[in-house]
Amino acid sequence: MKILIVEDDLEISKLLADFLQGNGYEVLCQYDGLHVLDCIQEHQIDLILLDIMLPYRSGDTILADIRKFSTVPVIVISAKETTQNKIDLLRLGADDYITKPFDMEEVLARIESNLRRIQFQNSTPSSLKCNDLVLDLDGNRAMLQGAELPLTAKEFAILELLMKYPDKIFSKANLFQSVWNIDYISEDNTLNVHISNLRNKMKAICPDKEFIDTVWGIGYRLHKAEG
């Protein structure tokens, strides 16, 4: 597994690199924001540790650019620990957030957690199932309590993403860019309309059940049944 560390503090970068190499990871380091995208495109990077305060180009700008062409896991490392800052970075497409100063074992645990999630995501099942909801990925068919859901291609793609990653909260931008493959404009109501249509179609079959949760201030996730 190859990890890219983007950190301008040479001491922190070396500590992280030595620690991760000691745990069996291959490590690449970038010390400013200039050539991060080039590095990602030249190497098969499995995960990125990204500082926010970088020379020349800020980490949040780099994160937004990464999400235009890659779904590689990005764990943000930042001295800023406000809730709003974390929400903003999650909206941009960060997968996780670590606040400085940090514990090395926590960094390792978060890396392992995100890599496990990606390995699970990259396994290609022929179907996805969540309680009474089943997606046949080969046949592009959705079934709910044995009845077929008449979904459009975009609705199917949204549901597929949510069901593939049931523990992930998708920001509106991340979900929109993944399905439409174009930049998200905050004033665009397209995604909200598709989510509403999806909910209405599922409610028509199961009026007493929820399937998609709105996470206020961030985006959407697959509904988690209590218990």
Side-chain angles (χ1 to χ4, degrees):
M1 289 286 186
K2 188 178 294 184
I3 296 176
L4 172 62
I5 300 171
V6 187
E7 168 62 67
D8 65 317
D9 187 309
L10 298 184
E11 183 178 353
I12 292 176
S13 180
K14 186 176 188 308
L15 283 171
L16 283 168
D18 290 347
F19 180 75
L20 293 176
Q21 287 169 343
N23 281 275
Y25 292 99
E26 184 178 350
V27 176
L28 297 175
C29 295
Q30 292 284 317
Y31 305 103
D32 57 50
L34 286 179
H35 305 294
V36 175
L37 300 183
D38 294 335
C39 182
I40 295 170
Q41 291 170 334
E42 290 171 9
H43 300 275
Q44 184 63 46
I45 303 297
D46 295 295
L47 183 140
I48 300 171
L49 294 176
L50 177 66
D51 187 23
I52 292 300
M53 304 300 290
L54 294 168
Y56 307 117
R57 297 189 77 226
S58 66
D60 50 358
T61 300
I62 293 168
L63 175 59
D65 287 342
I66 289 171
R67 285 296 173 250
K68 293 177 182 177
F69 68 90
S70 175
T71 58
V72 61
V74 177
I75 300 177
V76 166
I77 297 177
S78 176
K80 298 179 180 179
E81 55 180 345
T82 65
T83 299
Q84 186 58 51
N85 191 58
K86 294 178 182 180
I87 290 172
D88 291 342
L89 290 164
L90 288 169
R91 283 174 172 166
L92 277 176
D95 294 273
D96 209 340
Y97 190 107
I98 298 174
T99 303
K100 295 179 181 178
F102 49 78
D103 179 82
M104 288 292 187
E105 292 296 336
E106 179 188 1
V107 174
L108 182 62
R110 290 178 183 266
I111 288 172
E112 291 172 344
S113 174
N114 278 275
L115 289 176
R116 279 196 302 270
R117 177 175 57 81
I118 289 300
Q119 288 169 349
F120 173 77
Q121 293 170 5
N122 288 340
S123 61
T124 54
S126 59
S127 66
L128 298 169
K129 189 174 187 297
C130 178
N131 298 323
D132 296 328
L133 179 61
V134 179
L135 287 192
D136 175 3
L137 302 181
D138 293 334
N140 289 317
R141 296 173 70 232
M143 307 293 291
L144 181 56
Q145 287 191 339
E148 184 164 358
L149 273 173
L151 302 182
T152 67
K154 297 300 186 189
E155 290 166 355
F156 189 93
I158 291 169
L159 203 52
E160 180 180 353
L161 268 177
L162 295 176
M163 291 179 68
K164 271 187 176 178
Y165 317 131
D167 295 322
K168 180 177 174 63
I169 299 172
F170 285 88
S171 70
K172 290 183 179 181
N174 190 213
L175 194 55
F176 184 88
Q177 289 166 356
S178 297
V179 172
W180 276 266
N181 202 29
I182 57 175
D183 288 344
Y184 174 70
I185 301 172
S186 59
E187 293 80 12
D188 191 336
N189 201 40
T190 301
L191 178 61
N192 293 339
V193 171
H194 279 73
I195 293 288
S196 177
N197 290 341
L198 251 177
R199 283 171 165 158
N200 289 336
K201 289 178 180 180
M202 290 188 283
K203 285 283 188 183
I205 299 174
C206 293
D208 58 340
K209 290 187 178 180
E210 297 292 336
F211 295 93
I212 300 174
D213 289 337
T214 297
V215 182
W216 297 110
I218 301 179
Y220 300 102
R221 70 179 301 164
L222 193 71
H223 178 71
K224 281 193 170 184
E226 295 183 2

